[in-house]
Amino acid sequence: DARVTQTPRDKVTEMGQEVTMRCQPILGHNTVFWYRQTMMQGLELLAYFRNRAPLDDSGMPKDRFSAEMPDATLATLKIQPSEPRDSAVYFCASGLEAGGPPGELFFGEGSRLTVL
Amino acid sequence: ILNVEQSPQSLHVQEGDSTNFTCSFPSSNFYALHWYRWETAKSPEALFVMTLNGDEKKKGRISATLNTKEGYSYLYIKGSQPEDSATYLCAFSGNNNDMRFGAGTRLTVKP
């Protein structure tokens, strides 16, 4: 069945290392959102794309985070260099927007990142 | 930064109780309001999307209302069951079609 796939599921790394998280949206979906789960803010919006074009990445620390969609089947979130405060669960979600408001988002299972 | 506020932060009820939660959001640049249900160890799943002032949506024992002029939405659960235990998230979409979530209300239904 169609689902959003995220890799890796779990990543433990050391401070200063580069981390890349990948997301395969549901085939045919044209929006992709990246969220970070935090204790205080719940799901914090980091970046989102429509038809592969970045619309807003103001939620990301620009100096170390970057988000891209090399093609319609892959979205990436990169942290370089990683810091302990980046430890969190990162969720990718995709949806189909047909000219109206955002429809239902389908979430991946998340990538749990631990930066030591 | 747009603030989506949810209250209460957590709620404990007995099986059979009816309950409701609140989501408040900016009333300007409103496009849509979404409710999601997030069970432990799973991913969030959509419940409702509402766009018009006065909208009411219902799915089984769960319903939601929307007031865009004053910037709030209520989620109601009638006759809560233990399987309703989850975190309920609301999300605001503005004119730029973003989707920003509140921190959620964690509901625990005791048998």
Side-chain angles (χ1 to χ4, degrees), chain A residues 58-92:
Chain A
S58 59
M60 293 196 310
K62 293 291 190 308
D63 56 338
R64 300 184 299 108
F65 283 59
S66 61
E68 296 179 346
M69 279 201 75
D71 60 61
T73 64
L74 177 64
T76 62
L77 180 66
K78 186 179 295 185
I79 308 174
Q80 167 64 17
S82 58
E83 297 181 0
R85 59 181 167 151
D86 301 329
S87 298
V89 181
Y90 291 81
F91 285 95
C92 172

Side-chain angles (χ1 to χ4, degrees), chain B residues 76-95:
Chain B
Y76 301 90
I77 302 179
K78 183 178 179 181
S80 303
Q81 300 296 308
E83 58 264 31
D84 296 329
S85 297
T87 296
Y88 292 83
L89 301 169
C90 72
F92 168 88
S93 289
N95 290 339

Side-chain angles (χ1 to χ4, degrees), chain B residues 4-96:
Chain B
V4 179
E5 305 285 346
Q6 291 189 246
S7 63
Q9 188 173 20
S10 65
L11 193 56
H12 295 253
V13 301
Q14 288 295 134
E15 181 175 356
D17 288 351
S18 293
T19 187
N20 65 85
F21 332 126
T22 303
C23 172
S24 62
F25 53 86
S27 53
S28 59
N29 297 321
F30 175 86
Y31 203 6
L33 192 284
H34 311 255
W35 281 99
Y36 281 75
R37 182 169 178 271
W38 193 359
E39 292 182 71
T40 303
K42 294 187 177 180
S43 301
E45 294 183 344
L47 287 172
F48 307 115
V49 55
M50 294 180 287
T51 57
L52 299 176
N53 185 43
D55 255 356
E56 291 189 27
K57 293 286 179 80
K58 185 174 182 180
K59 184 182 290 188
R61 293 180 292 98
I62 304 176
S63 60
T65 62
L66 178 67
N67 183 322
T68 61
K69 293 183 178 179
E70 296 182 37
Y72 65 84
S73 174
Y74 294 135
L75 187 79
Y76 301 90
I77 302 179
K78 183 178 179 181
S80 303
Q81 300 296 308
E83 58 264 31
D84 296 329
S85 297
T87 296
Y88 292 83
L89 301 169
C90 72
F92 168 88
S93 289
N95 290 339
N96 59 353

Side-chain angles (χ1 to χ4, degrees), chain A residues 33 35 37 40-43 45 48 50 55-56 58 91 97 99-105 107-109, chain B residues 9 31-32 34 36 38 42-46 49 51 89 93-94 96-104:
Chain A
F33 290 73
Y35 292 94
Q37 181 184 6
M40 295 302 295
Q41 294 180 260
L43 288 174
L45 178 62
Y48 69 105
R50 183 193 302 142
L55 294 186
D56 187 351
S58 59
F91 285 95
E97 187 185 304
E104 177 180 356
L105 284 185
F107 281 78
E109 294 182 306
Chain B
Q9 188 173 20
Y31 203 6
H34 311 255
Y36 281 75
W38 193 359
K42 294 187 177 180
S43 301
E45 294 183 344
V49 55
T51 57
L89 301 169
S93 289
N96 59 353
N97 271 13
D98 57 353
M99 194 178 296
R100 299 180 186 272
F101 284 83

